[in-house]
Amino acid sequence: MREWKWRGYSIAYTVHGSGPPVLLVHGFGASIGHWRRNIGVLAESNTVYAIDLLGLGASDKPFKFLYTMETWAEQLVDFVKEVVGKQTVLVGNSIGSLACLIASAEAAPLNLVRGTVLLNCAGGMNNKAVTDDWRLKLALPLLWLIDFLLQQPSIAGRLFDRVKSKDNLKTVLQSVYSNKEAVDDELVEVILKPAETEGALDAFVSIITGPPGPKPQTLIPVIENPILVLWGDEDPFTPIDGPVGKYFRALPETNPQVQLFLLENVGHCPHDDRPDLVHEKLVPWLAQLPALT
Protein backbone atom coordinates (compact mmCIF):
# COMPACT_ATOMS: atom_id res chain seq x y z
CA MET A 1 0.00 0.00 0.00
CA ARG A 2 1.30 3.46 -0.90
CA GLU A 3 0.38 6.89 0.43
CA TRP A 4 -0.33 10.12 -1.43
CA LYS A 5 -0.87 13.40 0.38
CA TRP A 6 -3.82 15.29 -1.05
CA ARG A 7 -4.93 18.60 0.46
CA GLY A 8 -3.33 17.51 3.73
CA TYR A 9 -5.11 14.14 3.81
CA SER A 10 -3.54 10.70 3.48
CA ILE A 11 -4.85 8.80 0.46
CA ALA A 12 -4.13 5.08 0.04
CA TYR A 13 -3.33 3.61 -3.35
CA THR A 14 -1.53 0.70 -4.99
CA VAL A 15 0.25 0.28 -8.32
CA HIS A 16 1.02 -2.93 -10.24
CA GLY A 17 2.25 -3.91 -13.69
CA SER A 18 3.49 -1.84 -16.60
CA GLY A 19 1.99 -0.33 -19.71
CA PRO A 20 -0.71 2.28 -20.35
CA PRO A 21 -2.14 3.45 -17.01
CA VAL A 22 -5.52 2.40 -15.66
CA LEU A 23 -7.05 3.78 -12.44
CA LEU A 24 -9.57 1.62 -10.53
CA VAL A 25 -12.15 3.42 -8.37
CA HIS A 26 -14.30 1.48 -5.91
CA GLY A 27 -17.90 2.10 -4.86
CA PHE A 28 -19.63 3.02 -1.60
CA GLY A 29 -18.38 1.10 1.41
CA ALA A 30 -15.70 -0.66 -0.62
CA SER A 31 -11.96 -0.12 -1.06
CA ILE A 32 -8.93 -1.15 -3.11
CA GLY A 33 -9.47 -4.74 -1.95
CA HIS A 34 -12.68 -4.94 -3.96
CA TRP A 35 -10.50 -5.17 -7.08
CA ARG A 36 -8.89 -8.38 -5.75
CA ARG A 37 -9.93 -10.42 -8.79
CA ASN A 38 -8.99 -7.79 -11.41
CA ILE A 39 -5.66 -6.14 -10.65
CA GLY A 40 -3.53 -9.16 -11.58
CA VAL A 41 -5.27 -9.70 -14.92
CA LEU A 42 -5.21 -6.04 -15.93
CA ALA A 43 -1.58 -5.62 -14.79
CA GLU A 44 -0.45 -8.11 -17.45
CA SER A 45 -0.69 -5.32 -20.04
CA ASN A 46 -1.26 -2.10 -18.05
CA THR A 47 0.08 -0.09 -15.16
CA VAL A 48 -2.83 -0.55 -12.77
CA TYR A 49 -3.45 2.00 -10.06
CA ALA A 50 -6.18 1.46 -7.48
CA ILE A 51 -7.18 4.21 -5.07
CA ASP A 52 -9.25 4.56 -1.91
CA LEU A 53 -11.57 7.55 -2.05
CA LEU A 54 -11.33 10.05 0.79
CA GLY A 55 -13.50 8.80 3.66
CA LEU A 56 -13.40 5.17 2.51
CA GLY A 57 -10.97 2.27 2.62
CA ALA A 58 -7.60 3.08 4.17
CA SER A 59 -7.72 6.77 3.20
CA ASP A 60 -8.26 9.45 5.84
CA LYS A 61 -11.76 9.97 7.19
CA PRO A 62 -11.75 13.58 8.44
CA PHE A 63 -14.18 14.45 11.22
CA LYS A 64 -17.37 16.22 10.09
CA PHE A 65 -16.20 16.36 6.49
CA LEU A 66 -18.93 17.06 3.92
CA TYR A 67 -18.42 14.44 1.21
CA THR A 68 -19.56 15.19 -2.32
CA MET A 69 -19.21 13.52 -5.69
CA GLU A 70 -17.40 16.60 -6.94
CA THR A 71 -14.74 16.32 -4.21
CA TRP A 72 -14.02 12.72 -5.15
CA ALA A 73 -13.79 13.68 -8.82
CA GLU A 74 -11.27 16.40 -7.93
CA GLN A 75 -9.29 13.77 -6.01
CA LEU A 76 -9.14 11.57 -9.12
CA VAL A 77 -8.13 14.39 -11.46
CA ASP A 78 -5.37 15.51 -9.09
CA PHE A 79 -4.16 11.92 -8.69
CA VAL A 80 -3.82 11.51 -12.45
CA LYS A 81 -1.94 14.81 -12.68
CA GLU A 82 0.34 14.38 -9.65
CA VAL A 83 0.91 10.63 -9.39
CA VAL A 84 0.20 8.97 -12.74
CA GLY A 85 1.44 11.84 -14.90
CA LYS A 86 0.00 10.36 -18.11
CA GLN A 87 -3.31 9.98 -19.90
CA THR A 88 -5.26 7.44 -17.90
CA VAL A 89 -8.25 5.14 -18.33
CA LEU A 90 -10.67 5.57 -15.41
CA VAL A 91 -12.55 2.44 -14.31
CA GLY A 92 -15.25 2.73 -11.64
CA ASN A 93 -18.02 0.75 -10.00
CA SER A 94 -21.27 2.27 -8.68
CA ILE A 95 -20.53 5.72 -7.19
CA GLY A 96 -16.94 5.16 -8.29
CA SER A 97 -18.26 5.14 -11.86
CA LEU A 98 -20.03 8.43 -11.30
CA ALA A 99 -16.86 9.93 -9.80
CA CYS A 100 -15.00 8.78 -12.93
CA LEU A 101 -17.62 10.40 -15.16
CA ILE A 102 -17.36 13.73 -13.33
CA ALA A 103 -13.56 13.54 -13.44
CA SER A 104 -13.62 12.77 -17.18
CA ALA A 105 -15.89 15.76 -17.79
CA GLU A 106 -13.74 18.09 -15.67
CA ALA A 107 -10.50 16.84 -17.23
CA ALA A 108 -11.71 17.08 -20.83
CA PRO A 109 -9.89 20.39 -21.54
CA LEU A 110 -6.68 18.95 -20.04
CA ASN A 111 -6.68 15.76 -22.15
CA LEU A 112 -5.93 13.68 -19.03
CA VAL A 113 -8.41 10.85 -19.55
CA ARG A 114 -7.90 8.29 -22.31
CA GLY A 115 -11.10 6.34 -21.70
CA THR A 116 -13.83 5.79 -19.12
CA VAL A 117 -15.22 2.44 -17.98
CA LEU A 118 -18.46 2.29 -16.01
CA LEU A 119 -19.51 -0.81 -14.09
CA ASN A 120 -23.17 -0.40 -13.07
CA CYS A 121 -22.89 3.37 -12.75
CA ALA A 122 -24.79 5.02 -9.90
CA GLY A 123 -27.21 7.84 -10.61
CA GLY A 124 -25.92 9.83 -7.64
CA MET A 125 -24.02 9.62 -4.35
CA ASN A 126 -27.23 8.28 -2.82
CA ASN A 127 -30.70 7.26 -3.93
CA LYS A 128 -32.12 10.79 -3.63
CA ALA A 129 -30.63 11.46 -7.07
CA VAL A 130 -33.02 9.13 -8.88
CA THR A 131 -36.35 10.94 -8.56
CA ASP A 132 -37.94 9.63 -11.77
CA ASP A 133 -38.15 5.98 -10.74
CA TRP A 134 -41.57 5.05 -9.34
CA ARG A 135 -39.94 2.61 -6.91
CA LEU A 136 -37.84 5.36 -5.36
CA LYS A 137 -40.69 7.86 -5.44
CA LEU A 138 -42.61 5.51 -3.19
CA ALA A 139 -39.59 5.22 -0.91
CA LEU A 140 -38.74 8.94 -0.75
CA PRO A 141 -40.57 9.59 2.54
CA LEU A 142 -38.62 6.72 4.08
CA LEU A 143 -35.34 8.05 2.66
CA TRP A 144 -35.98 11.48 4.18
CA LEU A 145 -36.85 9.84 7.51
CA ILE A 146 -33.58 7.90 7.41
CA ASP A 147 -31.73 11.17 6.70
CA PHE A 148 -33.35 12.74 9.76
CA LEU A 149 -32.58 9.76 12.00
CA LEU A 150 -28.97 9.65 10.85
CA GLN A 151 -28.55 13.23 12.05
CA GLN A 152 -29.12 11.91 15.61
CA PRO A 153 -25.69 10.61 16.73
CA SER A 154 -26.95 7.87 19.04
CA ILE A 155 -29.34 6.49 16.41
CA ALA A 156 -26.72 6.75 13.66
CA GLY A 157 -24.21 4.85 15.79
CA ARG A 158 -26.61 2.00 16.53
CA LEU A 159 -27.70 1.74 12.89
CA PHE A 160 -24.09 1.72 11.67
CA ASP A 161 -23.18 -1.00 14.16
CA ARG A 162 -26.03 -3.14 12.83
CA VAL A 163 -25.10 -2.53 9.20
CA LYS A 164 -21.44 -3.47 9.70
CA SER A 165 -22.02 -6.71 11.60
CA LYS A 166 -20.58 -9.70 9.71
CA ASP A 167 -23.93 -11.46 9.36
CA ASN A 168 -25.72 -8.35 8.10
CA LEU A 169 -22.89 -7.50 5.70
CA LYS A 170 -22.95 -10.98 4.22
CA THR A 171 -26.73 -10.81 3.79
CA VAL A 172 -26.52 -7.41 2.06
CA LEU A 173 -23.69 -8.54 -0.20
CA GLN A 174 -25.54 -11.71 -1.19
CA SER A 175 -28.53 -9.55 -2.15
CA VAL A 176 -26.45 -7.55 -4.65
CA TYR A 177 -24.28 -10.42 -5.98
CA SER A 178 -25.73 -12.99 -8.35
CA ASN A 179 -22.76 -15.32 -7.87
CA LYS A 180 -23.22 -16.16 -4.20
CA GLU A 181 -19.90 -18.04 -4.08
CA ALA A 182 -18.10 -14.73 -4.62
CA VAL A 183 -19.44 -13.50 -1.26
CA ASP A 184 -16.70 -15.10 0.80
CA ASP A 185 -15.00 -14.24 4.08
CA GLU A 186 -12.35 -12.22 2.25
CA LEU A 187 -14.99 -9.96 0.69
CA VAL A 188 -16.74 -9.44 4.03
CA GLU A 189 -13.40 -8.42 5.53
CA VAL A 190 -12.72 -6.01 2.63
CA ILE A 191 -15.94 -4.17 3.53
CA LEU A 192 -15.77 -4.60 7.31
CA LYS A 193 -12.18 -3.55 8.07
CA PRO A 194 -12.48 0.10 6.89
CA ALA A 195 -15.84 0.39 8.69
CA GLU A 196 -14.05 -0.24 11.98
CA THR A 197 -11.68 2.72 11.58
CA GLU A 198 -12.04 6.16 13.16
CA GLY A 199 -14.23 8.50 11.14
CA ALA A 200 -16.07 5.71 9.30
CA LEU A 201 -19.41 6.52 10.94
CA ASP A 202 -19.14 10.22 10.04
CA ALA A 203 -18.33 9.30 6.45
CA PHE A 204 -21.28 6.88 6.29
CA VAL A 205 -23.72 9.52 7.54
CA SER A 206 -22.35 12.27 5.29
CA ILE A 207 -22.51 10.10 2.16
CA ILE A 208 -26.03 8.82 2.84
CA THR A 209 -27.42 12.25 3.72
CA GLY A 210 -25.35 14.49 1.43
CA PRO A 211 -26.13 16.01 -1.97
CA PRO A 212 -26.46 13.37 -4.71
CA GLY A 213 -24.26 15.29 -7.17
CA PRO A 214 -24.56 15.69 -10.93
CA LYS A 215 -26.43 13.11 -12.99
CA PRO A 216 -24.77 11.05 -15.72
CA GLN A 217 -27.13 12.62 -18.26
CA THR A 218 -25.48 16.02 -17.73
CA LEU A 219 -21.92 14.65 -17.89
CA ILE A 220 -21.86 12.34 -20.91
CA PRO A 221 -22.30 15.15 -23.50
CA VAL A 222 -19.14 16.86 -22.22
CA ILE A 223 -16.94 13.76 -22.41
CA GLU A 224 -15.03 13.19 -25.64
CA ASN A 225 -13.06 10.04 -24.76
CA PRO A 226 -14.36 6.50 -25.46
CA ILE A 227 -16.74 5.05 -22.85
CA LEU A 228 -17.29 1.36 -22.08
CA VAL A 229 -20.39 0.49 -20.06
CA LEU A 230 -20.69 -2.95 -18.47
CA TRP A 231 -23.96 -3.63 -16.65
CA GLY A 232 -24.99 -6.59 -14.54
CA ASP A 233 -28.57 -7.43 -15.48
CA GLU A 234 -29.56 -8.53 -11.94
CA ASP A 235 -28.54 -5.36 -10.13
CA PRO A 236 -31.12 -4.43 -7.47
CA PHE A 237 -29.49 -1.03 -6.73
CA THR A 238 -29.31 0.40 -10.26
CA PRO A 239 -31.51 -1.96 -12.29
CA ILE A 240 -31.19 -1.94 -16.04
CA ASP A 241 -34.93 -1.19 -16.28
CA GLY A 242 -34.61 1.85 -13.98
CA PRO A 243 -34.11 5.40 -15.31
CA VAL A 244 -30.29 5.31 -15.04
CA GLY A 245 -30.05 1.86 -16.61
CA LYS A 246 -32.45 2.79 -19.41
CA TYR A 247 -30.44 5.93 -20.15
CA PHE A 248 -27.20 4.01 -20.54
CA ARG A 249 -28.83 1.18 -22.47
CA ALA A 250 -30.09 3.62 -25.11
CA LEU A 251 -26.92 5.71 -25.20
CA PRO A 252 -24.94 3.79 -27.89
CA GLU A 253 -27.70 4.56 -30.40
CA THR A 254 -26.99 8.30 -30.18
CA ASN A 255 -23.34 8.42 -29.03
CA PRO A 256 -20.78 6.50 -31.15
CA GLN A 257 -18.17 6.88 -28.40
CA VAL A 258 -20.18 4.60 -26.10
CA GLN A 259 -20.18 0.80 -26.10
CA LEU A 260 -22.48 -1.13 -23.76
CA PHE A 261 -22.57 -4.79 -22.84
CA LEU A 262 -25.24 -6.33 -20.65
CA LEU A 263 -23.77 -9.07 -18.46
CA GLU A 264 -26.23 -11.87 -17.77
CA ASN A 265 -26.74 -13.25 -14.26
CA VAL A 266 -24.52 -10.53 -12.75
CA GLY A 267 -25.30 -8.13 -9.91
CA HIS A 268 -24.22 -4.65 -8.85
CA CYS A 269 -20.46 -5.34 -8.69
CA PRO A 270 -19.64 -7.13 -11.96
CA HIS A 271 -15.86 -7.00 -11.49
CA ASP A 272 -16.06 -9.14 -8.34
CA ASP A 273 -19.32 -11.00 -9.04
CA ARG A 274 -18.22 -12.39 -12.43
CA PRO A 275 -14.73 -11.02 -13.17
CA ASP A 276 -14.30 -13.38 -16.13
CA LEU A 277 -17.18 -11.69 -17.99
CA VAL A 278 -15.76 -8.24 -17.21
CA HIS A 279 -12.25 -9.14 -18.37
CA GLU A 280 -13.67 -10.67 -21.56
CA LYS A 281 -14.98 -7.22 -22.57
CA LEU A 282 -12.58 -4.88 -20.77
CA VAL A 283 -9.16 -6.29 -21.75
CA PRO A 284 -9.67 -6.12 -25.55
CA TRP A 285 -11.38 -2.74 -25.23
CA LEU A 286 -8.32 -1.36 -23.44
CA ALA A 287 -6.02 -2.86 -26.08
CA GLN A 288 -7.82 -1.14 -28.98
CA LEU A 289 -7.81 2.36 -27.50
CA PRO A 290 -5.86 5.03 -29.40
CA ALA A 291 -2.21 5.36 -28.39
CA LEU A 292 -1.23 7.65 -25.53
CA THR A 293 -0.72 11.28 -26.52
Side-chain angles (χ1 to χ4, degrees):
M1 192 76 71
R2 301 190 184 191
E3 179 189 21
W4 169 55
K5 283 293 184 180
W6 181 66
R7 300 181 181 179
Y9 301 118
S10 174
I11 303 297
Y13 76 97
T14 60
V15 58
H16 299 271
S18 62
V22 172
L23 175 58
L24 306 178
V25 187
H26 61 80
F28 175 54
S31 63
I32 291 168
H34 206 198
W35 301 103
R36 57 190 176 143
R37 306 181 194 275
N38 316 108
I39 290 174
V41 173
L42 297 177
E44 292 176 6
S45 52
N46 298 273
T47 302
V48 180
Y49 295 86
I51 192 170
D52 280 342
L53 296 171
L54 183 69
L56 298 168
S59 290
D60 276 352
K61 302 169 183 64
F63 183 63
K64 296 299 181 185
F65 190 87
L66 299 178
Y67 294 92
T68 66
M69 292 304 313
E70 292 88 345
T71 299
W72 285 330
E74 291 165 9
Q75 177 187 338
L76 300 181
V77 172
D78 288 346
F79 184 83
V80 172
K81 287 193 291 189
E82 297 177 19
V83 179
V84 182
K86 296 178 182 177
Q87 274 189 322
T88 302
V89 175
L90 304 181
V91 181
N93 172 228
S94 190
I95 61 171
S97 285
L98 184 56
C100 288
L101 270 184
I102 302 169
S104 292
E106 289 184 356
L110 305 174
N111 199 28
L112 288 175
V113 179
R114 187 165 165 247
T116 310
V117 181
L118 311 175
L119 307 173
N120 287 62
C121 185
M125 189 168 73
N126 46 54
N127 282 333
K128 294 192 294 293
V130 187
T131 56
D132 47 354
D133 186 335
W134 65 268
R135 290 162 289 202
L136 286 175
K137 282 183 178 179
L138 290 177
L140 270 178
L142 177 60
L143 295 176
W144 290 116
L145 175 61
I146 291 172
D147 274 11
F148 172 76
L149 293 175
L150 286 175
Q151 303 298 335
Q152 321 307 313
S154 61
I155 297 176
R158 290 198 298 272
L159 177 61
F160 189 58
D161 286 341
R162 284 181 61 89
V163 168
K164 69 179 183 179
S165 75
K166 283 190 176 182
D167 288 343
N168 281 341
L169 271 180
K170 195 158 192 175
T171 299
V172 171
L173 289 166
Q174 286 179 334
S175 74
V176 298
Y177 274 60
S178 292
N179 175 17
K180 308 305 180 188
E181 292 182 1
V183 183
D184 54 16
D185 290 341
E186 181 186 12
L187 175 61
V188 172
E189 191 62 22
V190 164
I191 306 298
L192 180 60
K193 187 176 179 180
E196 300 284 5
T197 58
E198 186 177 359
L201 171 58
D202 280 339
F204 172 78
V205 171
S206 179
I207 294 167
I208 294 294
T209 63
K215 294 184 177 183
Q217 294 91 325
T218 66
L219 300 166
I220 293 288
V222 183
I223 298 171
E224 297 179 355
N225 60 72
I227 298 173
L228 174 65
V229 182
L230 303 178
W231 209 282
D233 70 341
E234 295 185 354
D235 181 356
F237 284 173
T238 49
I240 193 62
D241 65 343
V244 179
K246 286 180 178 177
Y247 168 74
F248 277 107
R249 195 169 193 175
L251 198 55
E253 297 176 8
T254 58
N255 190 328
Q257 288 281 73
V258 178
Q259 282 185 276
L260 179 140
F261 296 97
L262 197 62
L263 306 180
E264 294 185 1
N265 303 313
V266 179
H268 184 63
C269 308
H271 60 292
D272 195 53
D273 193 331
R274 286 294 306 274
D276 54 325
L277 297 183
V278 170
H279 299 153
E280 182 182 290
K281 302 300 182 185
L282 176 56
V283 172
W285 184 85
L286 290 171
Q288 57 81 45
L289 287 174
L292 290 168
T293 59

